[in-house]
Amino acid sequence: MEILKLLSHNILVEEEEIVEKKITNEEAEIFFNNTINEVFEKETKKSYKPRASTTEVISIITRVLKDMDSNEELLENIPKRLLKYEISTQKDIDKLGTKIRKGCLLQAYIKKDGKNYFIITKIEATDGLDMTELKMRDILLSSKKIIKSALFEINEAGEFGDIFLSDTNANISKYWYDDFLELEEVTTDEMNTQKTYGIVMKEIKNKLEKTSPSDYTFCRNACIIFFKTKETFDLNDAVNDIFLSYDFENKEIKKEDIIEKIKRKIDKENLDTQFTLKKDVIKNRLTKMRKRVNKEISIEIDGGVENIKDNIYSTEQNGEKYIIIKSTEEETYKFFNWLDNE
């Protein structure tokens, strides 16, 4: 990786000013190099595209990359623009008692693996970074938090390719993508929800249904609960909730293989790994499971079941196999209340 341009500005909302901080010490260079690598490696992100080629940030980046020396002062307009929208956003959220986190805005022009990139990222000021000296404090040396980032891929002709945004918030902040950067989403949340749900469910079915039915039931149920109860999708959170937080009954199955297959398919479909979940696109028929118990009786599970292991499980008594189902419906329970009367 070759860093061709690196600028840092402190964004001071309360003071309503930006302050450029020259990166002159080795410690700061290492810190920002690590930050840039983290932006590239971040798994949870969402794809965007410019609303127009004439929007301010896009125009500034285009002009600077064509003539970096004579147009460098234009890059100061980017943190100025962010300050403007952080001030207006702060006024909107004052009534909620919320503060926009103070931090520094890093701009970097990079060549990596034969491609050109421009990065804009905001780093929180309180997690070990001294904004005055651009040095790490003695405490929290390994701690830094990228609050928001934008990764622009630029081809040899100076045209913009993929643009990826990430945010520590569950959703990408509107003032960041819409007001400040003037971008719009490439893939809708509805499409992300529908296709990602389909990919995860298909891999659960393909890898587990026949080889480990009990693990299939548990992971299928966990997937439904995640997509139907969470407000946002984060790939790492989803993987943890559906697979990693559960010990498989079949110890021979490698969770990592399933997870990697899901990640590859999501990437191949150009789906986002951070988006707002749209529960209404997941049809009820996609959450139902019907299994025959014997010749005359079937069980139907409608949707996700919290604490499923406590609500339904199988057991064997005197050589006979039974399925035990916890009943919370008194009237239904009465229809099968025979054993108590013997």
Side-chain angles (χ1 to χ4, degrees):
M1 180 176 71
E2 181 182 5
I3 300 176
L4 303 178
K5 179 66 65 177
L6 191 63
L7 294 175
S8 176
H9 291 81
N10 293 347
I11 310 297
L12 307 175
V13 175
E14 292 185 3
E15 296 83 354
E16 297 191 0
E17 65 175 339
I18 64 167
V19 179
E20 182 178 0
K21 305 304 296 184
K22 298 293 185 182
I23 302 171
T24 57
N25 62 75
E26 183 179 357
E27 193 174 11
E29 290 181 2
I30 293 171
F31 178 86
F32 286 126
N33 281 353
N34 291 338
T35 301
I36 290 167
N37 282 324
E38 189 175 333
V39 172
F40 276 109
E41 294 168 2
K42 196 165 184 62
E43 286 190 325
T44 53
K45 56 186 181 290
K46 185 171 175 61
S47 298
Y48 285 82
K49 61 184 178 182
R51 286 209 296 263
S53 60
T54 55
T55 57
E56 185 174 5
V57 173
I58 295 295
S59 297
I60 289 172
I61 295 173
T62 301
R63 290 172 62 186
V64 168
L65 296 188
K66 286 181 178 178
D67 189 352
M68 199 173 305
D69 293 328
S70 62
N71 286 323
E72 182 176 335
E73 67 277 5
L74 282 171
L75 290 175
E76 285 199 3
N77 291 328
I78 291 179
K80 286 178 182 177
R81 180 178 176 86
L82 176 61
L83 176 65
K84 170 186 172 182
Y85 286 108
E86 288 203 343
I87 290 171
S88 62
T89 300
Q90 185 59 63
K91 290 177 181 177
D92 291 338
I93 63 177
D94 271 340
K95 56 182 177 291
L96 302 176
T98 304
K99 292 287 186 183
I100 290 179
R101 285 174 284 181
K102 182 168 66 174
C104 66
L105 190 74
L106 179 70
Q107 299 179 77
Y109 176 41
I110 299 151
K111 285 186 178 292
K112 180 180 171 65
D113 300 330
K115 294 183 179 180
N116 297 329
Y117 299 92
F118 196 88
I119 287 176
I120 302 174
T121 185
K122 185 180 177 185
I123 307 163
E124 189 172 18
T126 56
D127 279 342
L129 176 65
D130 186 325
M131 288 176 62
T132 302
E133 299 295 332
L134 285 181
K135 291 183 178 179
M136 294 299 291
R137 302 189 186 100
D138 291 336
I139 59 172
L140 301 174
L141 289 178
S142 62
S143 176
K144 66 175 177 293
K145 182 178 289 184
I146 295 175
I147 304 173
K148 304 179 189 303
S149 67
L151 175 64
F152 299 82
E153 184 176 314
I154 302 158
N155 64 23
E156 294 180 356
E159 299 168 334
F160 287 86
D162 292 328
I163 302 174
F164 296 112
L165 270 56
S166 64
D167 200 320
T168 52
N169 293 325
N171 295 314
I172 309 294
S173 296
K174 184 177 183 297
Y175 84 84
W176 178 259
Y177 79 84
D178 188 29
D179 300 327
F180 168 50
L181 295 172
E182 297 179 278
L183 302 174
E184 58 187 30
E185 61 185 11
V186 173
T187 306
T188 65
D189 291 330
E190 287 79 6
M191 183 177 293
N192 277 316
T193 301
Q194 184 180 48
K195 288 193 171 184
T196 302
Y197 179 79
I199 287 171
V200 177
M201 275 300 208
K202 185 175 181 180
E203 286 309 304
I204 290 173
K205 181 179 177 67
N206 289 346
K207 300 294 185 182
L208 298 176
E209 188 176 30
K210 292 183 178 179
T211 57
S212 186
S214 59
D215 292 324
Y216 163 76
T217 301
F218 189 92
C219 291
R220 180 187 181 281
N221 183 72
C223 180
I224 293 169
I225 289 176
F226 188 94
F227 276 84
K228 296 294 273 187
T229 63
K230 300 288 187 180
E231 296 301 319
T232 59
F233 180 89
D234 179 290
L235 180 59
N236 291 330
D237 290 344
V239 163
N240 182 71
D241 285 13
I242 298 170
F243 300 105
L244 298 181
S245 61
Y246 164 64
D247 290 329
F248 276 20
E249 300 291 336
N250 187 339
K251 304 303 181 185
E252 294 183 0
I253 295 175
K254 295 181 179 179
K255 298 179 183 181
E256 295 75 15
D257 292 344
I258 302 173
I259 292 169
E260 285 305 311
K261 186 73 173 292
I262 289 170
K263 288 181 177 180
R264 287 198 300 272
K265 286 195 171 184
I266 288 174
D267 183 63
K268 185 177 180 180
E269 292 284 337
N270 293 319
L271 298 171
D272 297 319
T273 52
Q274 183 181 24
F275 56 88
T276 300
L277 283 167
K278 298 297 183 182
K279 304 175 183 63
D280 56 323
V281 305
I282 301 175
K283 306 302 182 183
N284 288 336
R285 63 181 174 79
L286 299 176
T287 64
K288 292 181 183 294
M289 183 172 77
R290 186 181 179 89
K291 294 295 179 182
R292 181 164 293 284
V293 178
N294 53 45
K295 187 176 180 181
E296 293 83 15
I297 300 172
S298 296
I299 293 175
E300 183 173 276
I301 298 177
D302 185 8
V305 182
E306 294 286 351
N307 303 314
I308 190 170
K309 286 186 175 183
D310 297 329
N311 282 276
I312 180 170
Y313 59 92
S314 60
T315 187
E316 188 169 344
Q317 297 178 11
N318 301 322
E320 299 285 351
K321 293 181 173 63
Y322 297 89
I323 293 177
I324 309 298
I325 302 173
K326 181 180 179 180
S327 175
T328 58
E329 301 295 326
E330 183 65 25
E331 290 303 314
T332 303
Y333 176 79
K334 290 177 181 178
F335 278 94
F336 305 99
N337 188 18
W338 298 305
L339 294 177
D340 292 343
N341 296 324
E342 290 184 356

